[in-house]
Amino acid sequence: MRLIRILFLFLVVLSILPISAQAQTPTPPAAVRLLLDSMSPEERVGQLFLVAFTGTGTGTDSQIYELIARRHVGGVVLMRENENFVDGDTLAEAGRLVESLQRIEWDAATKSATDPVTGNILRFAYVPLFIGISQEGDGYPADQILNGLTPLPSEMAIGATWDTEYAKDVGETRGLEISRLGFNLFFGPSLDTLESPAEAGGDLGTRVFGGDPFWVGEMGRAYIRGLHRGSNGNLLVIAKHFPGAGGADRLPQEEVSTVRKSLEQLKQVELAPFFAVTGKAELPEEVVDGLLVSHIRYQGFQGNIRATTRPISFDQQALGQILALPEFAEWYANGGLLVSDNLGTKAVRDFYATGGGLFQGRIAARDSFLAGNDLLYLGNIKGDDSPDSYTSVIRTLEFFAQKYREDPAFAQRVDASVTRILMAKLRLYDNFTLNNVIVDSGDNPSLPETESASPEPGTDITFQIARSAATLVSPSQQDLASILPSPPQPNDRLVFITDSVSAAQCSGCSSQPQLAVDALQKAALRLYGPQGGNQVEEFRLKSYSFENLTALLDAPDENQFVADDLDAADWVLLAVTDSSQGEAVLIGRLLRERPDLLLNKQLILFSFGAPYYFDTTTLSRFTAYYALYSKQSQFVDVAVRLLYQELTPSGASPVSIPAVGYDLITVMSPNPVQIIPLFLDLPIASVTPDALNTPEPTLAPLFRIGDTISIRTGVIMDHNGNRVPDGTVVRFAMLLTGEGGGILQQVEAVTTDGVARAAFGLDKPGLLEIRVSSEPAVISEVLQLDVSQSGAVAVTLVVPELTQSAQPTPLPTVPEEPDDFITQEGYPRISAWSLSMLFVLLGSGAFFVIASRFAKRTSALRWALGMLLGGLFAYNLLALGFFNLSEWLAEAGVSGVISVTLAGQVLGLAGGWIWSRAGK
């Protein structure tokens, strides 16, 4: 009995233990087991860490040499802020640095060394380094390398094309170029879903594909497929920011943010794109190699809105619950890596220092590791107990090695993660030799920087994306011609005001413009100046920065030259770049404080960043507002081509824009102005498409009474002309026509790749019809099935006509504020009735009191009753529509109701006077 009680207690304790992210460990191949067995505790522990260092020096006296050769860290992450890249031949220098780092590890493993304490000969196992980089696109600040590589666009620019081929092409270009430099670990793409953009700034902005989880997943899969293909499988892809930072109201590296969502809600939105590249990936190339676990807390994660998790990167139970989901379980069991987000950020430091505590790097690393992360990205970590980052890293490594020797459970946990890491490295390299790891110098040339002076639409992928992504946010596409009847004329004067951006590759490097003050002016001269049709002359163009604009508003007398140019201009064009709310505030100041400078001018706004930072009032002042989503030079060219109407904007925002009523959920619902196609889904071509496109009946000899008939729709389109997201609900109905007819069967299905399928049983003879709807699209082709008594089936396709022309659905306009007193049809509401009755009663009563002082009370009472009855009679006639004043009333509002009621009272007063006289 004692043994049974002990066993029972053990099972109870086991059942309440938190779900661990380390529950599943893949079975390692023999090569990994042999390699692991040959590694010392220090070597094993070292594999867990990704470190950073400052500068480009890798000599034997450098700190990075010590971390690689003697501490055997698992990898190194190169960053622009750490001065790891230089000006000049940036790519060649980067390639040499990567090779130098890999050689340090090789030399340390192949050359014997003497232990300074014991005097023993030391030999180490050679394990290649991870060399990681984050190169998201759109230049500074998202890119680490600013020179030499193809200038690729932001993720949001790709998302605005709604074309996954562009995502794949960008991924291939990035994978090819990065892997040629020797990088084998790529942090990206961002699979965050920007469901509700933060109008005040602080979100990820253009660093995301969009605001719909389905399309973010589709773009992410294509991008990852491109990375793997472009690198020829020599790049591990680490998607971020798991489990999704799109709902955060601040950048995760600045402060730990809290998202109020349960696990069920996360599965619907934030986690869906990560499902698409793990358990739901369709091709092996679309499967992500690892996930970067972010520092985000979740309130209500388990349903209790008052309970908040720790940052998910430190919360073993919450992270374990997520990884236990079926969509992740198999991916994780097969060796998927979990990588902690940068542990050296301000957000992590502030989280641990809350309440006056000390931030110790080794404790943060331990907590992140025990939460389930395999690789720990230390970044520029610096604990309060260490003088510098290097010391913090050394102490963390020593702390882990000591704990490995003292704690068998911890050692087992380390071995499990190291096994996963070694398996990932073996996927990159068949065997661990330097020749396999070092990129052949012939494959690492200085890649030519793409020039945009004369973009070739057929070959320049960035220009193609820029052209396809450009979006007219306001006004609608249909109204553009009436508002901009013609492009700028040769005699017009143009003033460009640009939110210019500059950056340097390193602190000692020369600054280079990411978007120059005169970028649009130069593009206009190049494309439409003397060498481009002579549509513009240089002296008619002026360019100013936002600093010039601020100076004009703060000190107008000292900056009168800017005011003079604005006053003389025919066109004023403003270009914004960043997600900072400062630009929107500054533009608002210009509109409020100096409207005199903008009178009778065409006012154009170009956004080279996220499109949702401006309010309705601000946008209403602009002639047109275009979203470009990226500040690469090709996007500047497209902006100028839009201005001169050489190009028509064809993109659509992948995120909601509240100021113009552009709601992504509405836009991505089925377009009601379409006829949904219907087809017989046959394994044999018994009914050919050609036959179904004719109104003549076609026999389908395969079908008899009692059979099942399979139906599928064509691709159902959304308001932007793209296929609807997977999971869109579609309803099929089979009806019996004629007398006694009705709905026989109904089937509800969901779309996959825009198509839904259903099956019906042929139970009885008669003329049957199959229709389909997907709200708000309710018109479809009709399949008529004439089922005879003998069992033969004749199939006819009927194509109805739309009651309205199938024009592209315009962008939603800003809704008018509803009138509290009058309906849109021009009839009084209950509030108008209440106000009118109060007016009638008070008016009649007041008149009675006043009239009683000058006339008999009987006469005054009759006059007041006349007013009361007259007002009531007039209001009722108005409410019933007898006056036919609905259009006038819709514009006049409640004042119109009171006016009519007052007129009735005046007439009633006259009636009361006549009544009074008649009484006498």
Side-chain angles (χ1 to χ4, degrees):
M1 291 299 296
R2 193 176 189 182
L3 181 61
I4 291 174
R5 283 197 294 269
I6 293 173
L7 180 60
F8 176 76
L9 182 62
F10 173 75
L11 291 174
V12 169
V13 172
L14 187 64
S15 67
I16 64 175
L17 284 175
I19 299 172
S20 172
Q22 306 90 40
Q24 296 174 315
T25 302
T27 302
V32 171
R33 293 197 300 270
L34 289 173
L35 184 60
L36 184 65
D37 290 343
S38 69
M39 298 171 72
S40 67
E42 284 75 14
E43 290 176 274
R44 299 182 188 199
V45 162
Q47 286 299 310
L48 303 176
F49 294 95
L50 296 172
V51 300
F53 71 103
T54 302
T56 59
T58 59
T60 54
D61 59 343
S62 64
Q63 294 176 350
I64 191 60
Y65 184 92
E66 167 73 17
L67 292 175
I68 296 173
R70 300 188 179 93
R71 306 288 177 166
H72 304 284
V73 293
V76 180
V77 179
L78 302 186
M79 296 183 287
R80 184 189 64 256
E81 65 180 87
N82 282 347
E83 313 281 337
N84 296 142
F85 305 103
V86 298
D87 254 349
D89 198 347
T90 305
L91 298 188
E93 292 298 325
R96 281 191 281 271
L97 175 59
V98 170
E99 180 176 339
S100 174
L101 295 172
Q102 293 285 16
R103 285 188 180 278
I104 293 174
E105 177 64 26
W106 172 260
D107 291 343
T110 55
K111 295 177 182 177
S112 60
T114 302
D115 189 312
V117 177
T118 64
N120 296 328
I121 301 297
L122 300 176
R123 295 187 183 277
F124 305 110
Y126 172 60
V127 180
L129 294 170
F130 282 136
I131 307 293
I133 190 172
S134 174
Q135 190 81 4
E136 298 180 13
D138 197 34
Y140 174 85
D143 285 344
Q144 307 305 312
I145 299 177
L146 302 181
N147 303 307
L149 297 175
T150 300
L152 295 174
S154 68
E155 287 189 16
M156 189 174 286
I158 302 171
T161 68
W162 300 84
D163 189 339
T164 56
E165 282 298 305
Y166 285 133
K168 176 186 70 68
D169 292 343
V170 170
E172 282 188 359
T173 302
R174 179 66 78 218
L176 171 67
E177 296 182 350
I178 290 296
S179 61
R180 279 186 176 181
L181 296 175
F183 290 98
N184 55 21
L185 189 70
F186 183 81
F187 293 106
S190 167
L191 297 183
D192 303 291
T193 302
L194 201 58
E195 185 183 15
S196 300
E199 294 183 31
D203 55 33
L204 292 170
T206 59
R207 296 170 60 192
V208 301
F209 285 117
D212 179 80
F214 168 75
W215 277 103
V216 171
E218 291 292 287
M219 291 291 179
R221 283 202 300 202
Y223 194 98
I224 292 166
R225 184 169 73 248
L227 285 168
H228 283 141
R229 288 183 181 178
S231 65
N232 198 26
N234 293 324
L235 195 65
L236 291 187
V237 180
I238 311 297
K240 56 188 183 183
H241 302 84
F242 183 76
D249 58 355
R250 64 207 71 184
L251 295 176
Q253 62 266 30
E254 296 297 329
E255 186 177 350
V256 173
S257 61
T258 301
V259 176
R260 292 186 175 182
K261 286 197 175 183
S262 67
L263 179 57
E264 288 303 313
Q265 291 173 311
L266 291 175
K267 286 161 62 177
Q268 296 297 318
V269 181
E270 277 83 354
L271 288 173
F274 294 98
F275 291 159
V277 299
T278 51
K280 291 187 176 181
E282 297 178 356
L283 299 172
E285 291 174 321
E286 296 173 349
V287 177
V288 76
D289 301 288
L291 299 172
L292 189 75
V293 184
S294 61
H295 311 309
I296 295 181
R297 307 175 73 180
Y298 292 96
Q299 187 173 3
F301 180 80
Q302 293 178 318
N304 181 3
I305 192 61
R306 305 192 186 284
T308 303
T309 69
R310 301 186 78 200
I312 208 76
S313 52
F314 301 109
D315 194 317
Q316 177 181 356
Q317 183 175 5
L319 185 56
Q321 280 186 264
I322 294 174
L323 291 177
L325 296 173
E327 293 84 356
F328 293 126
E330 184 177 356
W331 170 85
Y332 186 68
N334 289 334
L337 286 176
L338 295 183
V339 185
S340 78
D341 206 344
N342 191 342
L343 296 174
T345 61
K346 178 179 180 295
V348 175
R349 166 180 286 277
D350 290 347
F351 173 74
Y352 275 89
T354 301
L358 290 178
F359 172 60
Q360 295 179 305
R362 60 182 180 273
I363 301 302
R366 179 204 63 189
D367 292 348
S368 184
F369 177 65
L370 293 179
N373 293 288
D374 301 301
L375 270 171
L376 305 176
Y377 177 21
L378 296 181
N380 295 323
I381 194 168
K382 179 185 176 298
D384 292 331
D385 58 343
S386 303
D388 52 36
S389 176
Y390 173 71
T391 305
S392 279
V393 173
I394 293 294
R395 289 179 177 176
T396 301
L397 290 166
E398 292 174 345
F399 172 76
F400 268 64
Q402 179 181 354
K403 193 167 179 60
Y404 184 96
R405 287 187 165 89
E406 296 173 351
D407 186 345
F410 185 82
Q412 185 179 10
R413 170 71 183 90
V414 169
D415 288 347
S417 283
V418 174
T419 297
R420 305 171 75 85
I421 293 167
L422 294 177
M423 289 176 62
K425 291 184 175 182
L426 273 175
R427 290 200 298 270
L428 290 172
Y429 312 109
D430 296 341
N431 54 76
F432 293 163
T433 65
L434 188 63
N435 288 336
N436 267 358
V437 174
I438 298 298
V439 176
D440 188 345
S441 58
D443 292 333
N444 183 20
S446 293
L447 299 168
E449 186 170 358
T450 301
E451 296 292 339
S452 63
S454 179
E456 295 294 333
T459 58
D460 188 343
I461 181 61
T462 306
F463 180 81
Q464 288 275 29
I465 292 173
R467 186 172 62 178
S468 300
T471 304
L472 177 65
V473 177
S474 175
S476 65
Q477 184 72 39
Q478 288 79 3
D479 297 334
L480 183 60
S482 61
I483 294 176
L484 292 180
S486 61
Q489 301 303 301
N491 292 329
D492 287 348
R493 294 181 177 273
L494 284 70
V495 172
F496 299 96
I497 304 177
T498 302
D499 176 28
S500 57
V501 178
S502 295
Q505 186 64 78
C506 60
S507 60
C509 302
S510 58
S511 180
Q512 49 190 308
Q514 300 292 293
L515 182 65
V517 173
D518 58 353
L520 280 90
Q521 177 178 334
K522 287 183 175 179
L525 285 172
R526 185 178 67 250
L527 296 170
Y528 302 105
Q531 306 301 319
N534 210 25
Q535 299 180 55
V536 64
E537 297 178 85
E538 185 172 4
F539 76 93
R540 299 183 186 277
L541 306 180
K542 295 290 184 181
S543 294
Y544 294 103
S545 66
F546 270 44
E547 286 75 15
N548 296 132
L549 181 58
T550 302
L552 169 65
L553 297 175
D554 291 343
D557 293 339
E558 300 173 13
N559 296 274
Q560 186 60 38
F561 63 97
V562 180
D564 292 340
D565 284 336
L566 285 172
D567 189 51
D570 300 290
W571 296 71
V572 176
L573 305 106
L574 294 102
V576 297
T577 57
D578 210 325
S579 61
S580 168
Q581 188 70 354
E583 297 97 326
V585 172
L586 184 59
I587 291 175
R589 282 189 62 193
L590 173 65
L591 297 173
R592 289 192 311 272
E593 298 176 18
R594 297 304 305 267
D596 55 302
L597 299 177
L598 306 175
L599 289 175
N600 303 318
K601 304 183 191 312
Q602 300 285 8
L603 192 59
I604 309 295
L605 178 62
F606 292 114
S607 173
F608 295 96
Y612 44 75
Y613 295 112
F614 297 93
D615 58 32
T616 304
T617 303
T618 299
L619 293 183
S620 67
R621 302 288 299 276
F622 284 90
T623 306
Y625 172 32
Y626 295 96
L628 283 304
Y629 312 101
S630 180
K631 58 184 177 293
Q632 300 287 20
S633 57
Q634 291 87 344
F635 288 79
V636 175
D637 283 358
V638 167
V640 174
R641 293 174 193 269
L642 291 172
L643 174 65
Y644 281 87
Q645 299 180 26
E646 176 186 336
L647 294 178
T648 300
S650 59
S653 174
V655 292
S656 296
I657 308 177
V660 296
Y662 182 90
D663 176 64
L664 200 61
I665 294 177
T666 301
V667 168
M668 297 183 65
S669 65
N671 190 343
V673 189
Q674 68 177 310
I675 299 174
I676 301 174
L678 269 180
F679 302 95
L680 289 174
D681 205 5
L682 298 175
I684 304 174
S686 302
V687 183
T688 65
D690 289 339
L692 283 179
N693 285 331
T694 67
E696 296 300 324
T698 304
L699 281 185
L702 289 182
F703 295 135
R704 301 281 178 179
I705 293 179
D707 288 349
T708 298
I709 183 170
S710 296
I711 307 295
R712 64 178 172 86
T713 69
V715 176
I716 302 174
M717 311 305 289
D718 69 12
H719 290 66
N720 281 334
N722 305 305
R723 61 185 168 96
V724 294
D726 285 3
T728 299
V729 176
V730 179
R731 293 179 176 86
F732 294 81
M734 175 184 280
L735 303 91
L736 176 64
T737 63
E739 187 175 350
I743 297 177
L744 298 179
Q745 301 177 49
Q746 292 189 83
V747 176
E748 186 172 288
V750 295
T751 58
T752 300
D753 294 330
V755 176
R757 288 176 165 82
F760 294 96
L762 298 177
D763 299 329
K764 61 177 62 178
L767 183 59
L768 308 178
E769 288 187 351
I770 297 178
R771 301 172 182 266
V772 68
S773 66
S774 182
E775 295 288 347
V778 295
I779 303 175
S780 75
E781 295 178 348
V782 180
L783 280 178
Q784 291 185 342
L785 308 175
D786 190 357
V787 185
S788 66
Q789 291 288 347
S790 65
V793 179
V795 181
T796 304
L797 181 70
V798 179
V799 181
E801 293 185 3
L802 287 173
T803 56
Q804 53 183 328
S805 59
Q807 297 294 326
T809 303
L811 295 178
T813 56
V814 180
E816 296 182 1
E817 292 291 332
D819 195 301
D820 293 331
F821 297 95
I822 306 298
T823 67
Q824 293 182 349
E825 293 77 18
Y827 294 100
R829 299 182 188 271
I830 186 66
S831 54
W833 177 85
S834 302
L835 188 62
S836 298
M837 294 304 99
L838 182 64
F839 186 82
V840 167
L841 290 173
L842 290 179
S844 301
F847 183 84
F848 172 73
V849 172
I850 296 172
S852 297
R853 297 181 179 180
F854 304 100
K856 294 181 179 180
R857 292 177 62 86
T858 305
S859 298
L861 180 61
R862 289 173 177 171
W863 296 343
L865 286 174
M867 288 183 65
L868 178 65
L869 294 174
L872 291 172
F873 186 68
Y875 175 84
N876 286 321
L877 289 178
L878 178 67
L880 294 173
F882 280 92
F883 293 151
N884 197 24
L885 296 176
S886 57
E887 292 185 7
W888 170 79
L889 195 60
E891 296 183 4
V894 69
S895 60
V897 178
I898 294 177
S899 298
V900 173
T901 306
L902 180 60
Q905 286 189 290
V906 172
L907 292 175
L909 177 61
W913 181 79
I914 294 173
W915 182 19
S916 166
R917 300 294 295 176
K920 291 181 179 181

